[in-house]
Amino acid sequence: MSYALELENLNKSYKAGSRALDDVSLKVEAGDFFALLGPNGAGKSTLISILSSLVQKDSGCVKIFGHDIDSDFAAAKRCLGIVPQEFNFNTFEKVRDIVINQAGFYGIRAARAAERADYLIEQLGLWPKRNEVSRYLSGGMKRRLMIARALVHKPKLLVLDEPTAGVDIELRRSLWQFVEQINAEGTSIILTTHYLEEAEALCRNVAIIDAGRIVKQSDMRSLLAGLQRESFVLDLSREPELASLPSYCDAKILEGVRLELSLAKGQALNELVLELDRQGCKVLSMRNKSNRLEELFVNLVGAGVEHV
Ligand code: ADP
């Protein structure tokens, strides 16, 4: 198996005292479209900044297409294109020049750089703006310029840090079409986002990071299948007979008279209650048991984050 990214026991604490990454290990397969999902402050940007050595890790190992960033940084860097959250180009420079000048950092010859820049500028819908000073671009165009710049040296791995923050819906769609196209052509993509729906629409695999730790890693399909089930905890007057409960609920007994149920969302509970009644079990109380992932996103909604 070949990996676009391998992280082993990555740790990072900032001087201010917060532990931004806590023993993070992660593998992203070559060719994948991978989501790193987590609420604000989870550690996503720190992780991304370590890849480009903008932030120094405290310990751990990072390999990009097998190249260790400590021992083989130049090769690792050649494989990597990063689109950070903040616009970090010279706002007085013209669009086309920004992309061409970036190619210079990778030793790409001028003629080749111009050709590649024109191709990307056109693909990303910036052609009419190519000779404009970048400060006059809209937010969405600036984002696309950042993507064009990150792709100029044809990286095998493109990392997009919260790319749709502040981008309108129509533009978001065309941006995704473009990113899906380059993924289909072989570029591995890692996308950080706090929009569950965005990750769902695009990504094949996902890791969820919370407070600097990977709390879940899964393929998207199983993650969503998991989300389509609901769990309840019922306090009963006596221990039920599990074997007779309806087959649609996956039930287990907690502490004698407490029953935990997992069932498909929207499944009616009438049959279950009738059966419990038949067994002489009164339902004294019932509550929805949210899982770790749901808790994460309840936190997000609680923090007033808009969903796409
Ligand atoms: P995310 O990108 O998921 O929002 P970050 O990586 O930006 O998360 O932040 C992870 C944690 O590290 C947060 O607690 C944040 O406050 C802290 N942090 C990030 N950058 C710095 C910094 N330069 N100095 C001190 N603390 C930081």
Side-chain angles (χ1 to χ4, degrees):
M1 179 72 66
S2 137
Y3 293 104
L5 179 68
E6 292 163 88
L7 306 178
E8 251 173 63
N9 308 106
L10 200 58
N11 286 288
K12 173 69 191 176
S13 294
Y14 287 102
K15 283 216 173 66
S18 57
R19 184 136 195 213
L21 295 177
D22 187 356
D23 222 26
V24 168
S25 295
L26 193 68
K27 282 191 168 95
V28 177
E29 284 174 23
D32 204 354
F33 202 136
F34 188 94
L36 183 64
L37 199 63
N40 285 325
K44 304 183 294 297
S45 294
T46 300
L47 195 156
I48 302 306
S49 303
I50 288 173
L51 304 186
S52 61
S53 83
L54 203 65
V55 166
Q56 294 301 311
K57 59 189 164 59
D58 298 337
S59 61
C61 174
V62 178
K63 285 184 188 164
I64 300 167
F65 278 95
H67 303 292
D68 191 310
I69 63 164
D70 292 325
S71 56
D72 202 3
F73 184 64
K77 194 178 159 208
R78 266 199 304 278
C79 293
L80 179 68
I82 292 197
V83 182
Q85 277 184 49
E86 310 293 333
F87 300 128
N88 59 359
F89 44 76
N90 178 348
T91 53
F92 294 98
E93 233 179 326
K94 289 180 182 166
V95 168
R96 189 166 180 267
D97 295 342
I98 288 173
V99 183
I100 290 177
N101 290 343
Q102 177 78 2
F105 293 118
Y106 295 90
I108 300 168
R109 287 209 201 100
R112 182 79 194 95
E115 196 183 305
R116 178 80 180 147
D118 286 347
Y119 170 75
L120 289 167
I121 287 168
E122 204 272 322
Q123 284 283 303
L124 283 151
L126 291 169
W127 189 251
K129 303 282 177 186
R130 66 192 179 283
N131 292 317
E132 273 189 31
V133 170
S134 62
R135 66 194 298 215
Y136 300 125
L137 298 181
S138 68
M141 286 175 182
K142 285 181 177 143
R143 184 68 59 199
R144 284 181 280 162
L145 171 56
M146 297 276 287
I147 296 176
R149 190 183 61 166
L151 287 171
V152 78
H153 61 293
K154 290 196 175 167
K156 288 157 81 178
L157 170 63
L158 179 68
V159 180
L160 300 156
D161 193 3
E162 300 271 356
T164 47
V167 172
D168 66 57
I169 288 182
E170 202 177 319
L171 188 59
R172 207 178 284 164
R173 247 179 238 136
S174 67
L175 211 58
W176 292 141
Q177 248 168 21
F178 175 77
V179 179
E180 280 184 316
Q181 181 197 321
I182 63 168
N183 177 245
E185 288 164 5
T187 308
S188 310
I189 313 269
I190 298 177
L191 165 75
T192 83
T193 183
H194 56 242
Y195 297 128
L196 181 60
E197 293 84 348
E198 184 164 274
E200 179 181 341
L202 291 164
C203 300
R204 280 191 286 281
N205 290 296
V206 58
I208 295 172
I209 184 167
D210 186 28
R213 284 172 166 266
I214 303 289
V215 293
K216 184 152 184 103
Q217 192 177 353
S218 162
D219 63 283
M220 190 57 78
R221 199 172 295 186
S222 338
L223 184 80
L224 295 175
L227 283 175
Q228 279 151 20
R229 293 185 75 75
E230 243 176 331
S231 297
F232 296 95
V233 175
L234 276 63
D235 284 316
L236 305 175
S237 59
R238 49 167 292 197
E239 188 167 335
E241 204 185 300
L242 282 186
S244 313
L245 297 181
S247 56
Y248 61 75
C249 29
D250 189 0
K252 66 178 178 199
I253 293 175
L254 311 170
E255 305 154 28
V257 292
R258 185 167 281 181
L259 186 68
E260 184 178 313
L261 302 170
S262 161
L263 63 166
K265 272 215 167 100
Q267 170 70 54
L269 293 167
N270 304 44
E271 217 181 305
L272 170 79
V273 175
L274 285 175
E275 173 56 27
L276 287 171
D277 194 48
R278 195 193 63 78
Q279 292 183 18
C281 297
K282 286 194 179 116
V283 180
L284 303 174
S285 74
M286 176 169 142
R287 66 190 160 84
N288 197 291
K289 181 177 178 279
S290 56
N291 64 30
R292 188 89 190 96
L293 182 70
E294 281 165 346
E295 272 171 32
L296 261 169
F297 289 97
V298 166
N299 286 344
L300 279 176
V301 174
V305 174
E306 158 228 3
H307 280 254
V308 265

